[in-house]
Amino acid sequence: MAGPKATILYVDDDAQVRTTLAEVLSYNEYPTVVAATAEAALRCSNRQEISLILLDINLSGENGLVLLPYLRVNRPDVPVILYTGLDHDEQQVAGFFERGASGYVRKAEPMQELLEVIRIALISRAPKPQEQPAIGLGRRVQRQRQAAGNSGGKERF
């Protein structure tokens, strides 16, 4: 029998998306705490035992990318997955990983993709930037990084 599941903090300013995803995560045995703003997310991350943060990039008020460095410094043990409705190219996604993201998933992807990203991130528990698993679009970026590292060549994105 498996032990208790990890608690996820989901930060999104869209109430309907926040509620729906919290229900899906709970159904998949991930207790979920939600926050609508960066400020609320900071309070939750400091007050509760959080195992993973799922962060929308396009928050009203503070942008999720502004919140990311603070989370990496103050909660280095907690993986942060960027979950966004926006499209980003591979170079942008690579930049997110360099800033400390543990994963990247577009909201348009199937829910199974997000659940797999969460599972992988929880296993790796906030790896060092050079070891971060790239997820979704980022998988191609990770393969390119590994290929560049193995060949001794310069990284190309």
Side-chain angles (χ1 to χ4, degrees):
M1 180 192 279
K5 286 282 191 162
T7 299
I8 296 173
L9 169 59
Y10 177 40
V11 187
D12 196 316
D13 57 344
D14 185 319
Q16 184 176 8
V17 172
R18 205 172 46 244
T19 300
T20 302
L21 188 61
E23 289 173 1
V24 169
L25 293 171
S26 293
Y27 177 80
N28 284 279
E29 300 181 17
Y30 291 110
T32 305
V33 177
V34 296
T37 65
E39 294 82 21
L42 292 174
R43 284 192 303 273
C44 287
S45 71
N46 289 327
R47 291 185 191 158
Q48 294 186 271
E49 183 59 37
I50 301 295
S51 302
L52 182 137
I53 299 170
L54 193 55
L55 179 61
D56 185 20
I57 292 176
N58 195 24
L59 294 172
S60 57
E62 285 293 334
N63 179 302
L65 294 175
V66 173
L67 180 57
L68 180 61
Y70 178 87
L71 294 170
R72 295 296 4 119
V73 168
N74 293 286
R75 296 302 306 264
D77 60 321
V78 178
V80 178
I81 297 171
L82 299 176
Y83 188 55
T84 181
L86 303 173
D87 284 330
H88 298 95
D89 62 33
E90 290 183 16
Q91 188 171 14
Q92 290 171 311
V93 173
F96 300 154
F97 290 120
E98 289 169 6
R99 291 180 180 178
S102 299
Y104 172 90
V105 179
R106 289 179 39 247
K107 291 179 181 177
E109 297 297 326
M111 189 55 58
Q112 248 347 92
E113 175 76 9
L114 176 61
L115 294 171
E116 180 66 9
V117 170
I118 289 170
R119 186 186 70 75
I120 292 169
L122 288 170
I123 290 170
S124 60
R125 292 293 289 191
K128 295 179 178 97
Q130 68 273 16
E131 298 171 350
Q132 290 177 352
I135 307 301
L137 172 67
R139 284 186 179 148
R140 289 189 299 267
V141 173
Q142 183 67 20
R143 283 193 294 269
Q144 289 173 338
R145 284 182 176 173
Q146 289 172 342
N150 291 340
S151 67
K154 190 170 180 155
E155 294 181 37
R156 293 191 54 188
F157 298 103

